[in-house]
Amino acid sequence: MIKKVIVGTTVALLLAACSSKETADTTHQKIMEKGLDAVAENDFAKAEALFELSVEDNPKDETTKAYLKQVMLIRQANEDVGNDKEEEGLQALQKAKSYKKGSKVISAKADEQIKLLTPSKTKEATYRKLFTEAESLAKKANYKDSNDKLTALLNEDLDNYRDIQQAAESLKDKNAAEIEKKAKEEQMAANKNSTVTQPTEKAYDPYEWAPGVKEEFEAELVKQQYADSVDTIRYEKSQLYNNQGFYTVYAQMDGVEMYVVTVNAKTGYYHG
Protein backbone atom coordinates (compact mmCIF):
# COMPACT_ATOMS: atom_id res chain seq x y z
CA MET A 1 0.00 0.00 0.00
CA ILE A 2 1.21 3.53 -0.85
CA LYS A 3 0.58 4.89 2.65
CA LYS A 4 2.80 2.16 4.06
CA VAL A 5 5.61 3.31 1.78
CA ILE A 6 5.12 6.93 2.87
CA VAL A 7 5.71 6.14 6.52
CA GLY A 8 7.97 3.14 5.95
CA THR A 9 11.11 5.08 6.71
CA THR A 10 9.64 6.45 9.94
CA VAL A 11 8.60 3.00 11.11
CA ALA A 12 11.95 1.49 10.11
CA LEU A 13 13.84 4.09 12.09
CA LEU A 14 11.56 3.56 15.03
CA LEU A 15 12.11 -0.18 14.98
CA ALA A 16 15.85 0.26 14.56
CA ALA A 17 15.92 2.52 17.59
CA CYS A 18 14.49 -0.21 19.73
CA SER A 19 17.18 -2.26 21.40
CA SER A 20 17.18 -6.00 21.10
CA LYS A 21 16.06 -6.15 24.72
CA GLU A 22 12.84 -4.25 24.04
CA THR A 23 9.79 -6.42 23.86
CA ALA A 24 7.32 -6.49 20.97
CA ASP A 25 4.78 -4.79 23.22
CA THR A 26 7.12 -1.86 23.72
CA THR A 27 7.63 -1.51 19.97
CA HIS A 28 3.88 -1.67 19.42
CA GLN A 29 3.35 1.03 22.05
CA LYS A 30 5.86 3.33 20.41
CA ILE A 31 4.14 2.94 17.03
CA MET A 32 0.81 3.81 18.67
CA GLU A 33 2.34 6.91 20.25
CA LYS A 34 3.76 7.98 16.88
CA GLY A 35 0.30 7.55 15.39
CA LEU A 36 -1.26 9.76 18.06
CA ASP A 37 1.50 12.32 17.52
CA ALA A 38 0.53 12.39 13.82
CA VAL A 39 -3.11 12.93 14.83
CA ALA A 40 -2.09 15.87 17.04
CA GLU A 41 -0.32 17.36 14.00
CA ASN A 42 -3.44 16.77 11.85
CA ASP A 43 -1.47 14.36 9.67
CA PHE A 44 -4.23 11.79 9.46
CA ALA A 45 -2.74 9.98 6.45
CA LYS A 46 0.43 9.22 8.42
CA ALA A 47 -1.60 8.25 11.47
CA GLU A 48 -3.73 5.87 9.44
CA ALA A 49 -0.65 4.17 7.96
CA LEU A 50 0.92 3.72 11.41
CA PHE A 51 -2.25 2.35 12.98
CA GLU A 52 -2.77 0.03 10.04
CA LEU A 53 0.74 -1.41 10.42
CA SER A 54 0.11 -1.81 14.12
CA VAL A 55 -3.12 -3.71 13.43
CA GLU A 56 -1.32 -6.02 11.03
CA ASP A 57 1.25 -6.77 13.71
CA ASN A 58 -1.40 -7.14 16.41
CA PRO A 59 -4.65 -8.20 14.69
CA LYS A 60 -6.33 -9.01 18.03
CA ASP A 61 -5.76 -5.56 19.53
CA GLU A 62 -9.25 -3.95 19.55
CA THR A 63 -7.91 -0.61 20.79
CA THR A 64 -5.59 -0.22 17.79
CA LYS A 65 -8.46 -1.19 15.48
CA ALA A 66 -10.60 1.49 17.11
CA TYR A 67 -7.90 4.13 16.61
CA LEU A 68 -7.52 3.13 12.97
CA LYS A 69 -11.27 3.29 12.39
CA GLN A 70 -11.51 6.74 14.00
CA VAL A 71 -8.76 8.12 11.77
CA MET A 72 -10.31 6.52 8.67
CA LEU A 73 -13.64 8.18 9.53
CA ILE A 74 -11.97 11.59 9.89
CA ARG A 75 -10.23 11.18 6.53
CA GLN A 76 -13.52 10.13 4.94
CA ALA A 77 -15.20 13.20 6.47
CA ASN A 78 -12.53 15.49 5.02
CA GLU A 79 -13.02 13.92 1.61
CA ASP A 80 -16.80 14.36 1.84
CA VAL A 81 -16.46 18.03 2.79
CA GLY A 82 -14.06 18.54 -0.11
CA ASN A 83 -16.75 17.13 -2.42
CA ASP A 84 -19.44 19.47 -0.99
CA LYS A 85 -21.01 16.65 1.02
CA GLU A 86 -20.91 18.39 4.39
CA GLU A 87 -23.84 16.44 5.83
CA GLU A 88 -22.10 13.13 5.16
CA GLY A 89 -18.87 14.60 6.54
CA LEU A 90 -20.56 15.62 9.80
CA GLN A 91 -22.03 12.15 10.20
CA ALA A 92 -18.60 10.55 9.76
CA LEU A 93 -17.07 12.94 12.30
CA GLN A 94 -19.80 12.17 14.84
CA LYS A 95 -19.02 8.47 14.49
CA ALA A 96 -15.29 9.12 14.94
CA LYS A 97 -15.96 11.23 18.02
CA SER A 98 -18.12 8.62 19.78
CA TYR A 99 -16.37 5.45 18.57
CA LYS A 100 -16.24 2.77 21.27
CA LYS A 101 -12.77 2.04 22.69
CA GLY A 102 -11.50 4.96 20.63
CA SER A 103 -8.83 7.49 21.54
CA LYS A 104 -9.81 10.63 23.42
CA VAL A 105 -7.16 12.50 21.43
CA ILE A 106 -8.72 11.41 18.14
CA SER A 107 -12.24 12.11 19.48
CA ALA A 108 -11.13 15.65 20.37
CA LYS A 109 -9.82 16.19 16.84
CA ALA A 110 -13.12 14.99 15.41
CA ASP A 111 -14.97 17.38 17.73
CA GLU A 112 -12.78 20.29 16.57
CA GLN A 113 -13.79 19.65 12.97
CA ILE A 114 -17.45 19.29 13.92
CA LYS A 115 -17.39 22.73 15.56
CA LEU A 116 -15.81 24.21 12.44
CA LEU A 117 -18.37 22.65 10.14
CA THR A 118 -21.51 23.40 12.17
CA PRO A 119 -21.48 27.22 11.61
CA SER A 120 -20.84 26.53 7.95
CA LYS A 121 -23.95 24.36 7.77
CA THR A 122 -25.96 27.03 9.57
CA LYS A 123 -24.80 29.66 7.07
CA GLU A 124 -25.66 27.42 4.15
CA ALA A 125 -29.17 26.83 5.52
CA THR A 126 -29.63 30.59 5.96
CA TYR A 127 -28.44 31.32 2.42
CA ARG A 128 -30.65 28.64 0.88
CA LYS A 129 -33.67 29.91 2.83
CA LEU A 130 -33.06 33.45 1.57
CA PHE A 131 -32.80 32.23 -2.02
CA THR A 132 -35.99 30.17 -1.68
CA GLU A 133 -37.85 33.26 -0.42
CA ALA A 134 -36.55 35.30 -3.38
CA GLU A 135 -37.56 32.55 -5.78
CA SER A 136 -41.07 32.42 -4.32
CA LEU A 137 -41.49 36.20 -4.72
CA ALA A 138 -40.34 36.00 -8.34
CA LYS A 139 -42.96 33.32 -9.08
CA LYS A 140 -45.58 35.76 -7.78
CA ALA A 141 -44.22 38.44 -10.17
CA ASN A 142 -42.97 40.45 -7.19
CA TYR A 143 -39.65 41.00 -8.94
CA LYS A 144 -38.47 44.06 -7.00
CA ASP A 145 -38.80 42.46 -3.55
CA SER A 146 -37.24 39.30 -4.93
CA ASN A 147 -34.21 41.25 -6.16
CA ASP A 148 -33.90 43.03 -2.81
CA LYS A 149 -33.44 39.64 -1.14
CA LEU A 150 -31.05 38.47 -3.85
CA THR A 151 -28.95 41.61 -3.44
CA ALA A 152 -28.68 40.94 0.29
CA LEU A 153 -27.72 37.33 -0.43
CA LEU A 154 -25.07 38.23 -3.01
CA ASN A 155 -23.49 40.69 -0.58
CA GLU A 156 -22.56 37.69 1.60
CA ASP A 157 -19.31 35.76 1.19
CA LEU A 158 -20.47 32.93 -1.07
CA ASP A 159 -17.05 31.65 -2.15
CA ASN A 160 -17.83 28.28 -0.57
CA TYR A 161 -21.39 28.21 -1.92
CA ARG A 162 -20.89 28.67 -5.64
CA ASP A 163 -24.13 26.87 -6.57
CA ILE A 164 -26.16 29.31 -4.45
CA GLN A 165 -24.27 32.29 -5.86
CA GLN A 166 -24.79 31.24 -9.47
CA ALA A 167 -28.50 30.55 -8.94
CA ALA A 168 -28.96 33.94 -7.23
CA GLU A 169 -27.16 35.83 -10.02
CA SER A 170 -29.22 34.05 -12.68
CA LEU A 171 -32.54 34.77 -10.94
CA LYS A 172 -31.58 38.41 -10.38
CA ASP A 173 -30.91 38.85 -14.12
CA LYS A 174 -34.29 37.27 -14.97
CA ASN A 175 -36.05 39.55 -12.48
CA ALA A 176 -34.36 42.62 -13.96
CA ALA A 177 -35.50 41.59 -17.45
CA GLU A 178 -39.08 41.15 -16.23
CA ILE A 179 -39.02 44.53 -14.48
CA GLU A 180 -37.80 46.22 -17.66
CA LYS A 181 -40.42 44.39 -19.76
CA LYS A 182 -43.23 45.42 -17.40
CA ALA A 183 -42.08 49.06 -17.44
CA LYS A 184 -42.14 49.11 -21.25
CA GLU A 185 -45.62 47.57 -21.35
CA GLU A 186 -46.93 50.14 -18.88
CA GLN A 187 -45.41 52.98 -20.89
CA MET A 188 -46.96 51.67 -24.12
CA ALA A 189 -50.35 51.38 -22.44
CA ALA A 190 -50.07 54.92 -21.06
CA ASN A 191 -49.18 56.28 -24.48
CA LYS A 192 -52.09 54.43 -26.08
CA ASN A 193 -54.58 55.70 -23.52
CA SER A 194 -53.27 59.24 -23.93
CA THR A 195 -53.80 59.05 -27.71
CA VAL A 196 -57.32 57.63 -27.40
CA THR A 197 -58.64 59.88 -24.66
CA GLN A 198 -57.13 63.16 -25.76
CA PRO A 199 -59.87 65.09 -27.61
CA THR A 200 -59.06 66.44 -31.03
CA GLU A 201 -59.61 70.21 -31.12
CA LYS A 202 -62.03 71.12 -33.86
CA ALA A 203 -60.83 73.75 -36.32
CA TYR A 204 -62.66 77.10 -36.08
CA ASP A 205 -65.15 77.67 -38.91
CA PRO A 206 -66.36 81.30 -39.17
CA TYR A 207 -69.42 80.17 -41.19
CA GLU A 208 -70.50 77.55 -38.68
CA TRP A 209 -73.72 78.58 -36.99
CA ALA A 210 -73.51 79.21 -33.28
CA PRO A 211 -75.75 76.83 -31.31
CA GLY A 212 -79.45 77.74 -31.67
CA VAL A 213 -78.83 80.86 -33.78
CA LYS A 214 -79.95 79.42 -37.13
CA GLU A 215 -83.20 77.97 -35.77
CA GLU A 216 -84.10 81.19 -34.01
CA PHE A 217 -83.30 83.28 -37.13
CA GLU A 218 -85.40 81.11 -39.47
CA ALA A 219 -88.36 81.14 -37.08
CA GLU A 220 -88.13 84.94 -37.05
CA LEU A 221 -88.16 85.10 -40.90
CA VAL A 222 -91.30 83.00 -41.12
CA LYS A 223 -92.95 85.00 -38.33
CA GLN A 224 -92.18 88.29 -40.09
CA GLN A 225 -93.53 86.75 -43.32
CA TYR A 226 -90.15 87.07 -45.08
CA ALA A 227 -90.43 83.43 -46.06
CA ASP A 228 -93.31 81.10 -46.88
CA SER A 229 -91.65 78.37 -44.74
CA VAL A 230 -88.29 77.31 -43.32
CA ASP A 231 -87.88 74.86 -46.22
CA THR A 232 -87.81 77.69 -48.77
CA ILE A 233 -84.86 79.51 -47.14
CA ARG A 234 -81.49 79.30 -48.93
CA TYR A 235 -78.05 80.61 -47.85
CA GLU A 236 -74.97 81.75 -49.72
CA LYS A 237 -71.67 82.68 -48.06
CA SER A 238 -71.26 86.39 -48.27
CA GLN A 239 -68.35 87.90 -46.37
CA LEU A 240 -66.11 87.71 -43.28
CA TYR A 241 -65.95 90.46 -40.69
CA ASN A 242 -63.99 90.19 -37.43
CA ASN A 243 -63.52 86.52 -38.30
CA GLN A 244 -67.27 85.99 -38.32
CA GLY A 245 -69.13 84.70 -41.35
CA PHE A 246 -72.12 86.41 -42.97
CA TYR A 247 -74.69 84.69 -45.20
CA THR A 248 -76.81 86.21 -47.92
CA VAL A 249 -80.32 84.87 -47.34
CA TYR A 250 -82.88 84.04 -50.04
CA ALA A 251 -86.42 82.81 -49.44
CA GLN A 252 -89.66 82.26 -51.29
CA MET A 253 -92.50 84.62 -50.61
CA ASP A 254 -95.77 83.72 -52.28
CA GLY A 255 -93.86 81.11 -54.22
CA VAL A 256 -91.27 83.51 -55.63
CA GLU A 257 -87.63 83.39 -54.39
CA MET A 258 -86.01 86.71 -53.63
CA TYR A 259 -83.20 88.23 -51.58
CA VAL A 260 -84.26 88.81 -47.96
CA VAL A 261 -81.41 89.83 -45.65
CA THR A 262 -77.73 89.27 -44.71
CA VAL A 263 -77.23 87.42 -41.40
CA ASN A 264 -74.28 86.88 -39.00
CA ALA A 265 -73.90 83.12 -38.41
CA LYS A 266 -72.44 83.65 -34.94
CA THR A 267 -74.84 86.23 -33.50
CA GLY A 268 -77.96 85.95 -35.69
CA TYR A 269 -77.86 89.71 -36.31
CA TYR A 270 -79.32 90.50 -39.74
CA HIS A 271 -79.90 93.52 -41.95
CA GLY A 272 -81.19 94.24 -45.41
Side-chain angles (χ1 to χ4, degrees):
M1 296 175 66
I2 294 176
K3 54 190 171 187
K4 289 182 182 179
V5 175
I6 294 174
V7 297
T9 303
T10 302
V11 175
L13 291 172
L14 177 62
L15 293 174
C18 299
S19 66
S20 57
K21 293 182 180 180
E22 288 181 315
T23 63
D25 287 343
T26 302
T27 301
H28 173 69
Q29 184 61 35
K30 286 185 177 292
I31 294 175
M32 292 288 286
E33 290 174 359
K34 287 290 183 182
L36 291 174
D37 287 343
V39 170
E41 296 169 358
N42 295 317
D43 191 345
F44 299 107
K46 179 179 177 180
E48 182 180 349
L50 286 165
F51 292 144
E52 192 171 71
L53 286 172
S54 185
V55 169
E56 289 178 1
D57 290 337
N58 300 274
K60 294 182 180 181
D61 186 349
E62 296 300 323
T63 299
T64 305
K65 289 180 181 179
Y67 287 14
L68 175 60
K69 185 61 179 179
Q70 280 181 293
V71 170
M72 290 175 68
L73 284 167
I74 291 176
R75 293 197 69 196
Q76 180 60 52
N78 291 337
E79 184 177 340
D80 287 338
V81 172
N83 292 325
D84 294 327
K85 298 179 180 178
E86 291 189 358
E87 192 62 40
E88 290 87 339
L90 279 170
Q91 291 175 5
L93 289 170
Q94 289 289 356
K95 289 179 180 178
K97 177 183 176 181
S98 57
Y99 203 84
K100 290 182 179 180
K101 295 184 180 180
S103 163
K104 292 182 179 180
V105 174
I106 302 175
S107 292
K109 283 293 179 181
D111 192 46
E112 284 180 10
Q113 294 197 15
I114 289 171
K115 290 177 179 178
L116 289 173
L117 276 177
T118 301
S120 177
K121 287 297 295 180
T122 302
K123 281 185 178 181
E124 180 180 358
T126 300
Y127 297 157
R128 292 195 183 280
K129 181 176 182 293
L130 193 55
F131 176 77
T132 299
E133 291 173 352
E135 195 173 35
S136 178
L137 287 168
K139 288 179 180 178
K140 297 176 183 178
N142 196 343
Y143 303 115
K144 183 182 181 302
D145 288 347
S146 175
N147 268 7
D148 288 344
K149 287 186 177 291
L150 291 171
T151 298
L153 175 58
L154 291 169
N155 283 335
E156 298 291 338
D157 182 4
L158 301 177
D159 287 346
N160 295 325
Y161 311 95
R162 294 295 298 171
D163 61 324
I164 300 176
Q165 183 179 27
Q166 291 171 0
E169 289 173 345
S170 177
L171 181 57
K172 189 174 183 181
D173 288 342
K174 290 179 181 178
N175 286 348
E178 289 295 335
I179 291 171
E180 183 177 359
K181 178 182 176 182
K182 185 177 180 180
K184 288 182 179 179
E185 290 175 349
E186 289 177 351
Q187 185 60 50
M188 289 177 64
N191 291 341
K192 182 178 180 181
N193 291 337
S194 175
T195 301
V196 171
T197 58
Q198 185 175 6
T200 302
E201 186 176 348
K202 189 175 181 180
Y204 177 77
D205 182 359
Y207 287 99
E208 182 179 7
W209 291 90
V213 170
K214 183 179 180 183
E215 291 78 5
E216 184 177 346
F217 167 71
E218 290 179 340
E220 180 69 15
L221 285 186
V222 173
K223 180 180 178 181
Q224 297 294 333
Q225 297 183 348
Y226 291 146
D228 292 341
S229 68
V230 171
D231 295 334
T232 68
I233 301 172
R234 182 172 64 84
Y235 301 93
E236 289 184 1
K237 291 180 180 180
S238 175
Q239 60 180 332
L240 290 175
Y241 182 75
N242 288 338
N243 205 27
Q244 296 178 354
F246 287 80
Y247 285 103
T248 300
V249 184
Y250 298 88
Q252 291 184 13
M253 289 184 289
D254 298 327
V256 178
E257 184 181 84
M258 60 183 62
Y259 165 75
V260 181
V261 293
T262 298
V263 62
N264 186 317
K266 301 300 183 183
T267 65
Y269 171 77
Y270 64 89
H271 63 85

